[in-house]
Amino acid sequence: MQHLIDTDDLTDVQIEAILNDAARFKRRRPPALLRDKLLITLFFEPSTRTRSSFEVAAKRLGAAVVHLDPSRSSTKKGESLEDTFANLCAMEPDGVIVRHSRNETPRELAAMKMVPVINAGAGNYAHPSQALLDLFTMKEYFGDLRGKKIAIVGDIVNSRVASSGIRLFTRMGMEVKLVAPEPFMPQSDLPKYEHLEAVLDDVDVVMSLRAQLERHSKPIFDDYGAYAKHYCIDKARLGARDILLLHPGPVMRNIDISDEMLSDPRCKVLEQVRNGVFVRMAILKLLLLDS
Ligand code: ASP
């Protein structure tokens, strides 16, 4: 039984297969490969893109999807997460897609060995489908990513997108630079910078991240306007540089990225969302059909 808790659950061959299948699905919509399959989505944290993207991906492949809203489920009556999960598995779905604020939850559910578990975001630990769609988006633009340089900018320490991205991008031979004010900077051996200006002449990609306010136990900055003066990606800062701009969403406009840059052709935010569906189709195919 294959799970996807983080991308290190995948072999290089499997990652290659996901990227190739996603590219194929983008060129031509595939037949209903998962016609007889059923997926359950179980999201304990809010989601706009990831949940709908998995649902669209599953439906495009002909699978059925059932969504359980934990805020209206027996979790509210005191049922444990493990019991809720076991009860859902008793209905024999082909996979459960889970999002939770705890880093360990998807792996613990996978260890119950009941159905394939797909991590759709766990705490600040991992968001593998986002890392794969970011990889796909960069690969589509550059071809070979070996030696390409990416600056990850913002609340890196609290971001599961950054955690998964750092592991996957370095594995793929990219150079990762971290740009953040001290409270947002994780412990890391990667090169660290406080100022964006120090890296902009030496990167191919900038990935901007929002402040993960829901994970701050107390406010870190009172004034995100002042933060934006240093970290917002705007035209004045980027100039004419040929840099690909990524963000996993939701974008805090004019704090993470300026309105003007959001409509600049170098900004691939909506392309990431579009690619996310094809990449998740490829993930579902791999886990439910090919493994
Ligand atoms: N949507 C991404 C996540 O779930 C990024 C974010 O929320 O900032 O981690």
Side-chain angles (χ1 to χ4, degrees):
M1 185 182 304
Q2 169 116 33
H3 307 281
L4 179 59
I5 309 305
D6 196 19
T7 54
D8 42 23
D9 293 326
L10 301 171
T11 63
D12 289 349
V13 172
Q14 289 176 320
I15 292 176
E16 199 60 36
I18 289 173
L19 297 174
N20 288 339
D21 279 341
R24 213 154 40 83
F25 296 161
K26 189 170 180 177
R27 280 196 300 276
R28 179 200 266 255
R29 195 172 295 169
L33 298 170
L34 302 182
R35 196 178 297 107
D36 302 321
K37 307 289 185 190
L38 173 81
L39 288 152
I40 297 183
T41 57
L42 181 57
F43 277 56
F44 289 88
E45 276 194 341
S47 171
T48 303
R49 278 149 292 271
T50 306
R51 183 184 142 195
S52 47
S53 179
F54 266 118
E55 194 160 336
V56 170
K59 289 184 173 170
R60 288 256 190 261
L61 290 174
V65 182
V66 170
H67 176 64
L68 182 80
D69 178 354
S71 68
R72 291 164 195 270
S73 75
S74 288
T75 317
K76 283 276 164 214
K77 301 181 194 166
E79 186 174 58
S80 74
L81 172 62
E82 288 74 13
D83 284 342
T84 302
F85 178 73
N87 278 269
L88 293 176
C89 292
M91 299 177 205
E92 301 186 351
D94 297 284
V96 176
I97 301 170
V98 188
R99 167 169 288 192
H100 203 280
S101 57
R102 280 183 66 246
N103 290 1
E104 303 77 16
T105 294
R107 205 170 290 285
E108 287 170 359
L109 298 181
M112 291 168 71
K113 294 194 168 69
M114 299 187 80
V115 296
V117 172
I118 301 170
N119 174 13
N124 70 351
Y125 160 61
H127 195 345
S129 62
Q130 180 72 45
L132 287 162
L133 77 88
D134 293 339
L135 186 76
F136 179 87
T137 305
M138 292 189 283
K139 223 172 159 69
E140 192 173 46
Y141 189 82
F142 292 110
D144 188 11
L145 290 178
R146 213 148 266 285
K148 291 280 182 250
K149 297 174 185 167
I150 178 168
I152 302 184
V153 182
D155 188 0
I156 304 169
V157 72
N158 291 300
S159 168
R160 54 193 171 216
V161 173
S163 313
S164 275
I166 289 169
R167 288 189 286 272
L168 183 63
F169 308 155
T170 49
R171 175 176 171 187
M172 294 295 137
M174 293 184 76
E175 267 180 54
V176 180
K177 299 169 193 275
L178 308 181
V179 183
E182 194 267 328
F184 285 173
M185 188 63 89
Q187 297 269 358
S188 171
D189 295 335
L190 294 170
K192 298 178 194 161
Y193 304 84
E194 197 178 341
H195 300 290
L196 259 172
E197 285 69 19
V199 299
L200 286 179
D201 283 327
D202 193 28
V203 290
D204 305 285
V205 185
V206 168
M207 176 188 283
S208 166
L209 300 170
R210 89 186 155 95
Q212 306 281 304
L213 301 178
E214 68 277 30
R215 278 185 254 291
H216 300 171
S217 49
K218 55 180 175 18
I220 294 185
F221 295 109
D222 296 331
D223 178 7
Y224 275 89
Y227 166 89
K229 282 205 177 70
H230 298 281
Y231 297 99
C232 181
I233 313 297
D234 59 17
K235 264 209 168 139
R237 193 159 263 140
L238 223 54
R241 293 182 183 89
D242 184 16
I243 286 178
L244 203 69
L245 176 57
L246 305 180
H247 192 300
V251 178
M252 298 297 108
R253 281 179 174 265
N254 302 310
I255 295 175
D256 305 340
I257 301 180
S258 69
D259 285 342
E260 195 183 15
M261 266 319 291
L262 279 168
S263 48
D264 187 287
R266 290 169 289 179
C267 177
K268 300 296 173 199
V269 172
L270 291 180
E271 194 60 19
Q272 286 172 272
V273 176
R274 181 162 178 247
N275 289 338
V277 173
F278 302 115
V279 169
R280 291 186 174 104
M281 287 164 78
I283 291 171
L284 294 176
K285 171 176 175 281
L286 178 85
L287 297 188
L288 272 53
L289 218 58
D290 302 341
S291 297

